[in-house]
Amino acid sequence: MEISSNEYKMLFIFDGLDECRLSLNFKSKVKLCNISESASVDELLMNLIVGNLLPSALIWITSRPAAADLVPSECVHRVTEVRGFSDPQKEEYFRKRISHKRLAYRIIRHLKSSRSLHIMCHIPVFCWISATVLEKMLSEAERGEIPKTLTQMYTHFLIIQTNIKHEKDYEKKVKDEDMILKLGKLAFQQLVKGNLIFYEEDLRECGIDVTEASVYSGLCTQIFREELGLYQGKVFCFVHLSLQEHLAALYAHIYFKNKKRNVFDKSKPSLLSRIFLYLFQNNSLSELHHTAVDKALQSKNGYLDLFLRFLLGLSLESNQTLLRELLTQTGSCSYNKEEAVQYIKQKIRENHSPERSINLFHCLNELGDDSLMQEIQRYLASGEIGETKLSSSQWSALVYVLLTSEQKMDFDLKQFIGAQNTAEEVLQNLLPVVKESRSAQ
């Protein structure tokens, strides 16, 4: 095709920039203008996006938000965002998915009772996970604590999947828990590299047999999948990034308990020091959690946010009990929940961006601490919040409370302006809420 002629209007669609492993170097001095000139794929892509090659062509790129800033802003003319399910669509999903009307109603009511779960339901995959878990747990035959947090929901889902056996008969060479830890290692290693798709060598590096993985129970048919990529080669991915983040957190948690080592520590201790650590040092999980909090805050695109929520949630005793259903052999270590809570609150005080603090409040919710939120609720109920000088952590708490409230507001900022808070200060601190409001005054 003579695509360079004026006869055609070209449209290129690059679906999944976040899954692209090519290093798109937009500062590269390689400039391609001739379409007949030979070049590497990453150079072709970069020059197409910048507009050196086929400047009249239209280019449509899809990406998860985490990788959207890979393309320089001057090359982007229009941005659209897929917002997922609206609140009415969330309910519609469960009514269509669950054939038993009364059970569907109970599931919807339970999800509405937990704001953190209900908010997550804007992601269709999370609705599928919730329906799978709650349909089983709210049925009369099933007993146990109904999941109220993100960590509980995903851990229950993992338990259900390990109990689903593949339809084909095969010789089971690997125990459930061995496969979980192998997938967890893969999930963590690739998450810190920012990779969402993997190749056979990545699987082999984690001790996963490719043929085994392709037939192995619900764990690999519902959580992990195989696809055909470029050149008909096999590529692998988790069904959703959140499943990768949960398994990565599970691996980090178990690795610390069993080996007394922090997964973020890349140094290789000697055999003697490893034995000493294992036998004599009573490491606390808090060390791992502090590192993970710091790493998540340093991340520019928030790719460790959900991982951190899962990691903290897994430390609670209620979730430890659940994990024993999955993994029979796990080590022990000390853990002080209050120490983790105080460290997160300290980071909220130090962090002046309400947007960056939102995930830290979700983390406090996973740990069952709502003291900062209750403080703000009392100020709101008194009607005197405009006369109260709020600290940076209180502003962040206020943003979190307003964003997780049930109303999609027509937002009036006047109630927060007073002797202690100027209009400019209120607007600056509550900007994340203004962005999510239907209208703001």
Side-chain angles (χ1 to χ4, degrees), residues 279 345 387:
L279 293 177
K345 286 182 177 179
E387 307 306 316

Side-chain angles (χ1 to χ4, degrees), residues 163-175:
N163 292 330
I164 297 173
K165 303 308 172 192
H166 200 271
E167 292 171 4
K168 294 179 183 177
D169 291 324
Y170 65 98
E171 186 182 348
K172 188 174 177 182
K173 297 176 183 175
V174 181
K175 292 180 183 176

